[in-house]
């Protein structure tokens, strides 16, 4: 019985532990360039796979050969830098979030939608997107007039459907908008 309880507690601790990706991000947030060996020191031997995973999710993480003369490693060890935009994972996510938060009408509309998914569905509805373009800070670009294909972009030219937009970050922003 006691053992079971302890196992349960360990499971809970395991579940609430920050993931390796979270830990990598917080290390990257603390300094401009982080040497790969720093992740090894934090017991993350598979850090390069984790970083590849983060890049896939849209995190703008640059890498180059570490040339820190104070480092004792030899050979090709990379160092990494996360180009975060005020805490957003990349430029595209930051830009779309910026426009939604700064246009009063767009913000109100986002609040009504509740989720980013719903928001995207609606602004890409042909009729509504044209109504929105007249009233909100967004632009419609015709891609194919005959087939009525179009894209919706911010005033800075970022598509609301850009693959680089981090869905997780957008959905938590929408949760905050919805709750606030
Ligand atoms: Zn180094």
């Amino acid at each position: 019985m006691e053992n079971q309880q302890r196992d349960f507690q360990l499971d809970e601790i395991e579940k609430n532990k920050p993931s390796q990706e979270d830990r990598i991000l917080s290390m990257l947030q603390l300094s401009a360039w982080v040497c790969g060996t720093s992740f090894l020191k934090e017991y993350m031997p598979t850090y390069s796979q984790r970083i590849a995973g983060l890049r896939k999710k849209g995190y703008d993480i640059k890498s180059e050969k570490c040339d820190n003369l104070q480092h004792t490693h030899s050979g090709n060890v990379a160092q990494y830098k996360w180009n975060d935009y005020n805490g957003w994972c990349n430029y595209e996510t930051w830009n779309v979030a910026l426009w939604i938060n700064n246009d009063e009408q767009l913000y109100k509309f986002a609040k009504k939608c509740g989720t980013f998914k719903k928001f995207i569905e609606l602004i890409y509805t042909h009729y509504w997107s044209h109504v929105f373009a007249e009233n909100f800070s967004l632009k419609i670009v015709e891609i194919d007039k005959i087939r009525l294909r179009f894209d919706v972009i911010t005033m800075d030219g970022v598509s609301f459907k850009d693959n680089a937009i981090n869905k997780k970050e957008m959905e938590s922003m929408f949760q905050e908008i919805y709750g606030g």
Side-chain angles (χ1 to χ4, degrees), residues 42-104:
E42 294 296 320
Y43 311 104
M44 290 187 277
T46 56
Y47 69 90
S48 62
Q49 280 107 295
R50 299 285 93 76
I51 288 170
L54 284 165
R55 281 177 174 153
K56 246 191 188 154
K57 288 183 188 168
Y59 286 83
D60 185 2
I61 300 170
K62 304 252 180 299
S63 58
E64 58 172 45
K65 192 177 174 234
C66 177
D67 52 7
N68 191 322
L69 296 172
Q70 282 157 342
H71 289 187
T72 51
H73 59 67
S74 55
N76 274 321
V77 174
Q79 57 179 359
Y80 301 87
K81 186 170 96 172
W82 175 22
N83 241 331
D84 79 317
Y85 289 80
N86 288 333
W88 298 94
C89 82
N90 58 31
Y91 172 76
E92 289 79 4
T93 312
W94 166 80
N95 191 256
V96 164
L98 179 85
W99 281 105
I100 294 173
N101 277 304
N102 288 303
D103 178 295
E104 205 189 326

